[in-house]
């Protein structure tokens, strides 16, 4: 662990100078010392070592494998970088985690995976700054190898957090935040849930069997209606009050307390299976088995689900909870707290009397807007 290293040059550009040591004091928090344009962002960088993942299914994930970076950093010679070696984890690699100054004592923490703050992560950082939210960001300065990196990064970020705060898990480059920590906490508490999933209109990746599970879908919709007037915009009459347009969990915005998220990751690791054959030499091969899938299903009709997908894992987890009759894991289908736009036109949004952006059809002003694009999911 490399505690206490500041990222004064974390945004926009990298400085060649050595980063100064960040001296924590009670007055330092996201706000006063943050200056996007001058790259001033108080915080601390930690390295979560490979050893933390060594005995898990992540140990040989593409993120950790021996590669050209291993050669550049002197972990291995070019001659030693054989095809067989490139299937193995590099024990000298680590997952970087950046924490804003007040993250350790915050009731609410926002976390995301961002490999390049200059190109991607500054979007959510600037939004967090406006609302005084603390953040824990994984992955800065690394290459992106696929969606497995997001879960590895989330596991590392949670490991870096003390206590049991409410954690908002978000995408980094297309998320807009508009609530303070106290409002996030208030809405989450009122939801009476252990975990809240932001929703989207489509189930992706598509698992056809989920559409046939009427009892689970009925419970899902019942729980979505339980949010009531949470997040209702001030002085607004919705076009379709009580509408729940977003019927399936989206991995771009969801939330729970840290301990619940750790349970989710453990459950996901148990659900991760490899297919019986490799599709290409060196394929990592792990994917989350859909809830209820038999071995025949897995290596038959689901054999095309190649390439790890964190949203497939999230939907499998939620479907398992619904099958078990769990009422504490809820889909926010109308933007009471979390909302994916699915490309909705700007004309369908407005500002309420508190200057919060709301969705006209539901009348809700979400704390988190995820600007996802449904075109990317149309086959």
């Amino acid at each position: 662990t490399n505690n206490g290293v500041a990222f004064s040059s974390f945004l926009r550009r990298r400085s060649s100078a050595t980063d100064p040591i960040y001296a924590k004091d009670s007055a330092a928090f996201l706000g006063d010392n943050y200056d996007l344009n001058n790259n001033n962002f108080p915080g601390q960088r930690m390295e979560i070592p490979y050893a933390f993942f060594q005995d898990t299914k992540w140990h040989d994930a593409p993120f950790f494998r021996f590669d050209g970076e291993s050669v550049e950093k002197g972990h291995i010679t070019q001659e030693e970088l054989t095809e067989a070696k490139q299937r193995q984890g590099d024990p000298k690699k680590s997952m970087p985690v950046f924490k804003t100054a007040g993250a350790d004592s915050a009731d609410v923490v926002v976390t995301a995976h961002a490999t390049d703050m200059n190109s991607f992560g500054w979007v959510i950082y600037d939004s967090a700054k406006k609302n005084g939210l603390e953040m824990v960001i994984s992955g800065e300065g690394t290459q992106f190898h696929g969606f497995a990196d997001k879960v590895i990064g989330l596991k590392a970020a949670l490991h870096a957090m003390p206590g049991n705060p409410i954690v908002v898990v978000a995408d980094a480059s297309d998320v807009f935040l508009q609530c303070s920590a106290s409002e996030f906490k208030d809405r989450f508490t009122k939801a009476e849930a252990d975990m809240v999933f932001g929703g989207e209109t489509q189930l992706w990746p598509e698992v056809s069997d989920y559409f046939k599970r009427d009892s689970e879908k009925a419970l899902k919709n019942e729980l979505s209606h339980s949010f009531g007037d949470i997040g209702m915009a001030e002085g607004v009459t919705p076009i379709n009050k009580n509408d729940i347009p977003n019927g399936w969990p989206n991995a771009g915005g969801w939330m729970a307390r840290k301990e619940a998220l750790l349970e989710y990751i453990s459950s996901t690791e148990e659900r991760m299976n490899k297919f019986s054959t490799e599709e290409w030499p060196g394929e990592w091969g792990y994917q989350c088995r859909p809830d209820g899938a038999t071995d025949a299903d897995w290596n038959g009709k689901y054999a095309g689900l190649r390439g790890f997908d964190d949203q497939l894992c999230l939907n499998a987890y939620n479907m398992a909870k619904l099958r078990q009759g769990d009422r504490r894991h809820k889909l926010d289908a109308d933007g009471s707290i979390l909302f994916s736009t699915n490309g909705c036109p700007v004309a369908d949004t407005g500002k309420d009397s508190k200057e919060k952006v709301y969705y006209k059809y539901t009348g809700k002003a979400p704390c988190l807007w995820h600007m996802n694009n449904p075109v990317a999911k149309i086959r």
Side-chain angles (χ1 to χ4, degrees):
T1 302
N2 186 18
N3 292 329
V5 178
F7 265 32
S8 59
S9 59
F10 194 70
L11 298 176
R12 299 295 190 196
R13 70 184 74 87
R14 285 189 177 277
S15 170
S16 59
T18 302
D19 288 323
I21 297 298
Y22 169 68
K24 183 176 180 181
D25 65 61
S26 59
F29 65 100
L30 182 58
D32 288 352
N33 298 322
Y34 174 74
D35 185 343
L36 175 66
N37 294 325
N38 291 306
N39 309 308
N40 294 321
F41 199 90
Q44 115 191 106
R45 179 181 172 116
M46 305 174 68
E47 299 288 341
I48 307 302
Y50 174 81
F52 182 65
F53 302 90
Q54 187 169 3
D55 296 326
T56 72
K57 292 176 181 177
W58 309 110
H59 75 279
D60 62 348
F63 180 86
F64 287 116
R65 287 184 173 183
F66 282 103
D67 56 12
E69 180 188 0
S70 303
V71 175
E72 290 176 9
K73 293 186 175 181
H75 300 174
I76 194 173
T77 67
Q78 186 65 54
E79 292 70 28
E80 292 171 321
L81 190 60
T82 62
E83 185 175 315
K85 201 70 174 176
Q86 291 177 60
R87 293 175 177 237
Q88 301 172 19
D90 179 351
K92 293 185 179 179
K93 285 192 173 183
S94 60
M95 174 61 79
V97 172
F98 175 77
K99 303 167 66 174
T100 57
D104 282 356
S105 58
D107 289 335
V108 176
V109 177
V110 179
T111 188
H113 187 80
T115 58
D116 186 341
M117 297 307 301
N118 181 46
S119 301
F120 308 114
W122 68 269
V123 178
I124 195 169
Y125 264 131
D126 226 30
S127 187
K129 176 250 181 183
K130 179 177 175 61
N131 293 283
L133 291 160
E134 302 291 349
M135 301 201 70
V136 177
I137 299 296
S138 62
E140 199 281 332
T142 67
Q143 297 295 315
F144 187 67
H145 306 84
F147 293 128
D149 288 11
K150 291 176 62 179
V151 186
I152 295 170
L154 176 59
K155 183 168 183 168
L158 296 172
H159 180 62
M161 296 179 198
N164 191 28
I166 295 169
V167 181
V168 180
V169 185
D171 282 354
S173 62
D174 60 354
V175 163
F176 162 74
L177 306 168
Q178 61 172 355
C179 290
S180 65
S182 60
E183 187 163 1
F184 261 113
K185 184 177 181 179
D186 180 62
R187 293 195 195 186
F188 183 71
T189 301
K190 288 178 178 176
E192 297 183 334
D194 293 333
M195 187 173 289
V196 174
F197 310 99
E200 66 175 357
T201 57
Q202 298 165 279
L203 170 62
W204 189 266
E206 197 170 281
V207 178
S208 57
D209 284 356
Y210 291 174
F211 297 122
K212 305 170 186 175
R213 292 167 64 169
D214 292 340
S215 60
E216 286 92 335
K217 290 192 298 178
L219 178 57
K220 174 168 61 70
N221 290 344
E222 178 190 342
L223 296 174
S224 292
H225 280 298
S226 72
F227 286 84
D229 287 337
I230 296 172
M232 188 62 70
E234 292 287 333
V236 166
T237 301
I239 296 173
N240 291 329
K241 186 174 174 60
N242 299 321
D243 187 23
I244 48 172
N246 287 353
W248 300 97
N250 178 275
W254 48 298
M255 65 190 300
R257 288 198 175 270
K258 184 186 83 172
E259 295 297 331
L261 289 171
L262 289 172
E263 188 276 328
Y264 164 77
I265 290 177
S266 295
S267 177
T268 293
E269 291 171 346
E270 292 176 6
R271 183 173 283 110
M272 287 162 55
N273 280 202
K274 285 195 175 186
F275 292 101
S276 58
T277 59
E278 285 188 347
E279 193 168 62
W280 62 83
E283 179 188 17
W284 184 48
Y286 275 115
Q287 180 62 287
C288 282
R289 184 183 291 219
D291 182 63
T294 64
D295 288 345
D297 291 337
W298 179 241
N299 290 301
K301 64 182 177 181
Y302 294 135
L305 292 175
R306 298 282 179 163
F308 184 90
D309 194 304
D310 59 319
Q311 191 159 290
L312 179 66
C313 301
L314 197 68
N315 273 285
Y317 179 81
N318 183 47
M319 190 57 70
K321 291 293 184 182
L322 292 169
R323 173 172 50 79
Q324 295 158 8
D326 182 283
R327 304 182 67 86
R328 298 286 301 180
H329 291 71
K330 299 183 179 183
L331 175 68
D332 179 0
D334 66 357
S336 298
I337 313 174
L338 315 161
F339 191 68
S340 291
T341 64
N342 302 291
C344 79
V346 175
D348 288 348
T349 68
K351 276 191 175 183
D352 69 5
S353 59
K354 292 186 176 180
E355 292 294 297
K356 278 190 165 51
V357 179
Y358 70 94
Y359 183 51
K360 290 180 179 179
Y361 282 86
T362 64
K364 298 291 184 79
C367 286
L368 180 152
W369 284 82
H370 176 215
M371 313 300 180
N372 64 329
N373 179 6
V375 174
K377 298 178 180 180
I378 295 174
R379 294 184 295 181

